[in-house]
Amino acid sequence: MMDDSPPRAPFLRPAIAAVAAGALVLRVVYILGWKLDQPLRGDALYYSWQAELLADGKGFVRPYFGGPAADHPPLTSLAMTPFAWVTDSLTTRRLAMAVIGVAVVIACAYLGHLLAGPRAGAIAGVIAAVYPNLWMNDALIMSDTLTALFVALFLIAIYRWRERPSVRNAGLVGLAAGLGTLTRAEIPLLVVLVAVPVMLSVRSLARADR
């Protein structure tokens, strides 16, 4: 399909880099100042403990009771496994989550840029950087941060597909949704409620292509 839309203004990379740096500082200060010696509880304990079991080569084993585990999608524990190989430090894992949280900020900024231009992208980045429900979760070893990242990437991918329908861009939509599903089991609803309606609505493509 020919793209007749006017060229998009360039992404404000210096501004977004500054926003990302500020987001990282906020998260690091919060972790080192308030979460440094805080023990893990609930699902955070599960994910971290399972990462340690994976690092020890024991596979997906239920941390509390033993036996094969499929209590939670696996990607959060897998993401923490390399850090569990290196150190037992919970702070290191929290800081790793903070870095992923900064990636969420950048993804939100880029999504805002796609939807409404570079200024909106910078504003979206600032909001994501300081929004408590993001940076507080980034200090936990939970699935929320990775889920937020893949939801943002999914929305970017579906918007890009809407602009330029292609098998490649459709594959990126599926990739983001698939990886997101490995963080939270609800993510396939994005395919049903967002991707399918959007892809069926593009009249410039033949029905079979859609």
Side-chain angles (χ1 to χ4, degrees):
M1 186 181 78
M2 296 296 294
D3 185 7
D4 298 325
S5 59
R8 183 179 289 111
F11 193 45
L12 297 178
R13 293 184 181 179
I16 301 307
V19 170
L24 181 61
V25 169
L26 173 62
R27 285 151 175 79
V28 170
V29 168
Y30 178 60
I31 290 169
L32 298 182
W34 281 269
K35 293 289 185 178
L36 190 60
D37 298 317
Q38 189 176 94
L40 299 177
R41 298 181 179 88
D43 287 348
L45 178 59
Y46 181 97
Y47 288 122
S48 186
W49 197 346
Q50 191 168 77
E52 292 174 7
L53 292 170
L54 288 167
D56 291 338
K58 296 179 180 178
F60 287 95
V61 179
R62 301 180 79 183
Y64 313 116
F65 309 108
D71 301 68
H72 297 284
L75 192 56
T76 303
S77 295
L78 285 170
M80 293 297 102
T81 298
F83 304 98
W85 278 331
V86 175
T87 176
D88 293 332
S89 169
L90 296 179
T91 300
T92 299
R93 294 173 210 173
R94 286 184 166 120
L95 291 172
M97 278 294 181
V99 172
I100 298 173
V102 174
V104 175
V105 171
I106 296 171
C108 289
Y110 187 63
L111 179 60
H113 169 78
L114 290 178
L115 293 174
R119 181 175 298 178
I123 293 171
V126 170
I127 293 172
V130 301
Y131 182 51
N133 278 351
L134 289 179
W135 60 260
M136 291 178 71
N137 282 333
D138 292 345
L140 306 174
I141 304 172
M142 299 273 280
S143 62
D144 303 72
T145 299
L146 280 165
T147 301
L149 176 61
F150 288 116
V151 169
L153 293 176
F154 171 86
L155 294 173
I156 291 169
I158 196 68
Y159 185 85
R160 296 302 297 265
W161 185 91
R162 184 69 176 78
E163 282 192 323
R164 295 172 180 261
S166 68
V167 173
R168 175 184 177 276
N169 286 342
L172 292 175
V173 173
L175 178 63
L179 290 172
T181 301
L182 296 179
T183 66
R184 291 289 288 266
E186 307 95 313
I187 298 302
L189 290 172
L190 288 174
V191 177
V192 177
L193 300 177
V194 179
V196 170
V198 168
M199 290 182 171
L200 291 178
S201 71
V202 177
R203 302 301 181 185
S204 59
L205 290 178
R207 182 178 299 175
D209 292 334
R210 283 179 267 158

